[in-house]
Amino acid sequence: MSLYIKTREVAAMETLRIVGGRELRGSIATPGAKNSCLKLLAMSIMASGKCVISNVPRVTDVETMCQLLEALGARVSFTGRTEVTVDPTTIASAAPPDPLVRKMRASVQVLGPLLARFGEVKMPYPGGCAIGSRPIDLHLRGLSAMGAQVSEEHGYIMVRASRLVGTDIHLDFPSVGATENLMAAACLASGTTIIRNAAREPEIVDEQNFLTRLGADIRGAGTDTIKIVGVSELGSTNYSVMPDRIQAGTYMIAAAATRGDVTITGVVPEHLDALAAKLAETGVAVIYTEDCVRVAMGDRPGPIAVKSMPYPGFPTDLQAPIAAYLTVSRGTSTITENIFSNRFRYVDELARMGAHIGVDGRTAIIRGVNELTGARVVAPDLRAGAALIIAGLMARGETTLDGMEHVYRGYDDIQGKLAACGAEVEIVTDSASAAVAEQ
Ligand code: UD1
């Protein structure tokens, strides 16, 4: 596999310098969705031939998943900038290596596919963004219900099942990752699996479409009940990843925050409805034309209340970006985080820029200020990094953002896209350290 993105170590040497106060104007194309692409790559483990996946985003989490597949024995190759071919027929191991699993929470998504194909998986608990406790009990309980034996040995999860057996599973919470893992595993189980209280995120529909192209028998993705009739084998396919609603949403918020006028192309408008409704409530003009959304704003936002919810509610991944935007609202806004327990780690960083935010349990109370001022800040996680970039674009003066390695996990050339719309942004590299990291 050719490395096509800078390594995490090199990214860690980079700082984003932003001179705020420039209105964003122009258009930004939406890349493929990281959160779907990662799962399609993992699900390709179950294919009996090559999977050619296109519209792949150039983000480091995708790179990590490709490395993980290679470590298992798959052949992974890139064609051009955005197409990946996975040949899973050479996979020889069902034990993903520790360092890769710990790097990224989504590595848990190989669990269901590996179990379905090999009948046995050994892996450590996954890592990922530090946004609160993220157990995988729902994944494991679902697999147990399908007949798997789950045990923990010396910090590793061991899961075994000679063949999974279809059953009825009721999720306590509509977990995206658990729905995806169980949906994948059920494809090769004997009999019928029904997942109730399933997550309804658009990425799950994308994955159903991908698995169906591979020969799986699945219905209901996008609703809270998914029915999977097991088949004995899956084939091979070509598939294009759906657009990234979180990247698109981040640029919509950035456009509004800079009081600019930006058209985001290549979106699925209904995926952005919850965000569009909230932006409109603050006074933004949101105009859809086919697969484009234009966002125009000329003023400080009006205050609003935002509550993150499972889809079709307001996405937790846009909670930090919209909070940054609301720091200058004309009044007091509230943000309630209902999905993750620790997703306000950006608050102290925004405070360095002059924001007034108090956190009470799951709610952040944002008292709008006239303006933010540039400062040196650090991205504590992926979406918080995006929020701090938005804050930097709004602020008076210069902001420098460290922790860009988090941002590159999920954003595809963010500085290039913002610069093309008139932002004054540049990547500053500590070249001596970067040279060492490259070796
Ligand atoms: C996915 C997304 C992430 C997004 C989240 C919610 C990817 C790679 N990541 O994460 O960007 O923010 O959906 O839309 O697609 N939970 C349990 N037990 C479990 C599983 C989850 O308690 O077994 C809890 C989690 O701790 C969390 C909540 O359920 O509080 C939601 O998690 P989940 O929907 O599973 O999110 P992820 O799939 O990890």
Side-chain angles (χ1 to χ4, degrees):
M1 185 185 76
S2 65
L3 280 182
Y4 72 128
I5 306 167
K6 60 190 98 190
T7 64
R8 191 180 168 87
E9 290 70 24
V10 170
M13 305 301 158
E14 293 188 350
T15 294
L16 186 68
R17 182 178 156 274
I18 308 168
V19 178
R22 310 279 189 272
E23 293 168 5
L24 294 183
R25 288 186 182 277
S27 77
I28 298 177
T30 309
K34 163 184 92 81
N35 283 356
S36 181
C37 184
L38 291 173
K39 323 306 168 56
L40 303 187
L41 288 166
M43 289 171 181
S44 69
I45 289 172
M46 300 189 298
S48 60
K50 287 182 184 168
C51 294
V52 181
I53 303 176
S54 54
N55 201 28
V56 169
R58 292 167 54 93
V59 298
T60 51
D61 272 6
V62 165
E63 182 101 349
T64 304
M65 183 59 87
C66 290
Q67 287 169 353
L68 199 156
L69 294 178
E70 280 197 319
L72 295 172
R75 289 203 197 98
V76 182
S77 56
F78 288 91
T79 319
R81 290 167 57 87
T82 59
E83 188 176 277
V84 176
T85 302
V86 180
D87 177 356
T89 57
T90 48
I91 295 181
S93 162
D98 284 35
L100 291 171
V101 175
R102 288 182 202 281
K103 224 172 177 178
M104 178 177 75
R105 160 94 181 166
S107 49
V108 76
Q109 301 305 145
V110 300
L111 180 57
L114 281 174
L115 184 64
R117 177 162 165 195
F118 293 101
E120 185 173 270
V121 184
K122 177 184 178 189
M123 68 190 292
Y125 277 95
C129 273
I131 56 175
S133 152
R134 297 175 82 175
I136 57 165
D137 55 314
L138 299 173
H139 304 235
L140 298 176
R141 280 188 357 229
L143 293 173
S144 297
M146 295 169 78
Q149 287 177 309
V150 179
S151 58
E152 236 187 279
E153 291 167 24
H154 310 294
Y156 286 84
I157 316 157
M158 310 283 294
V159 189
R160 294 188 183 88
S162 53
R163 188 168 184 203
L164 293 165
V165 180
T167 188
D168 264 34
I169 299 169
H170 187 107
L171 295 176
D172 287 348
F173 182 86
S175 154
V176 174
T179 302
E180 294 163 333
N181 241 334
L182 299 173
M183 188 167 95
C187 287
L188 292 176
S190 70
T192 300
T193 301
I194 297 182
I195 307 172
R196 299 185 200 282
N197 198 26
R200 292 182 286 162
E201 268 64 7
E203 290 75 13
I204 291 168
V205 178
D206 209 36
E207 291 141 19
Q208 169 177 287
N209 293 340
F210 173 76
L211 290 167
T212 304
R213 292 273 287 272
L214 280 177
D217 182 351
I218 312 180
R219 303 234 151 76
T223 75
D224 60 8
T225 305
I226 302 178
K227 181 177 170 194
I228 307 108
V229 181
V231 297
S232 55
E233 197 185 31
L234 297 177
S236 56
T237 192
N238 286 15
Y239 194 82
S240 177
V241 181
M242 64 173 268
D244 192 319
R245 61 195 173 96
I246 305 300
Q247 288 204 54
T250 303
Y251 293 118
M252 288 169 70
I253 297 170
T258 59
R259 294 169 212 173
D261 187 344
V262 175
T263 299
I264 323 288
T265 62
V267 301
V268 179
E270 72 184 64
H271 294 173
L272 300 166
D273 273 353
L275 171 64
K278 281 293 152 191
L279 289 178
E281 220 179 300
T282 68
V284 172
V286 182
I287 304 147
Y288 289 116
T289 34
E290 294 177 10
D291 67 345
C292 297
V293 58
R294 179 174 165 204
V295 172
M297 177 66 164
D299 202 353
R300 287 170 63 188
I304 55 167
V306 178
K307 294 181 182 168
S308 67
M309 303 283 278
Y311 189 84
F314 190 91
T316 172
D317 287 350
L318 292 176
Q319 181 263 99
I322 204 163
Y325 166 61
L326 293 173
T327 55
V328 297
S329 60
R330 288 176 273 109
T332 299
S333 297
T334 57
I335 304 257
T336 308
E337 172 55 51
N338 289 312
I339 309 294
F340 291 109
S341 56
N342 185 18
R343 219 168 191 185
F344 288 131
R345 292 177 0 127
Y346 58 85
V347 164
D348 290 346
E349 300 301 304
L350 286 178
R352 290 175 201 277
M353 301 177 73
H356 283 212
I357 310 179
V359 176
D360 183 7
R362 286 189 170 273
T363 303
I365 298 140
I366 305 174
R367 195 154 50 79
V369 294
N370 285 334
E371 62 174 3
L372 297 180
T373 47
R376 181 154 204 131
V377 289
V378 182
D381 61 60
L382 165 57
R383 305 302 172 187
L388 291 165
I389 293 174
I390 290 170
L393 294 170
M394 296 158 65
R396 178 164 50 83
E398 185 174 310
T399 293
T400 49
L401 175 65
D402 290 317
M404 283 301 288
E405 69 277 16
H406 295 294
V407 175
Y408 294 140
R409 290 182 56 185
Y411 290 90
D412 202 320
D413 187 26
I414 191 166
Q415 70 280 7
K417 287 176 180 165
L418 293 172
C421 287
E424 199 174 327
V425 282
E426 67 170 334
I427 292 288
V428 183
T429 308
D430 174 350
S431 49
S433 317
V436 172
E438 283 278 23
Q439 287 163 11

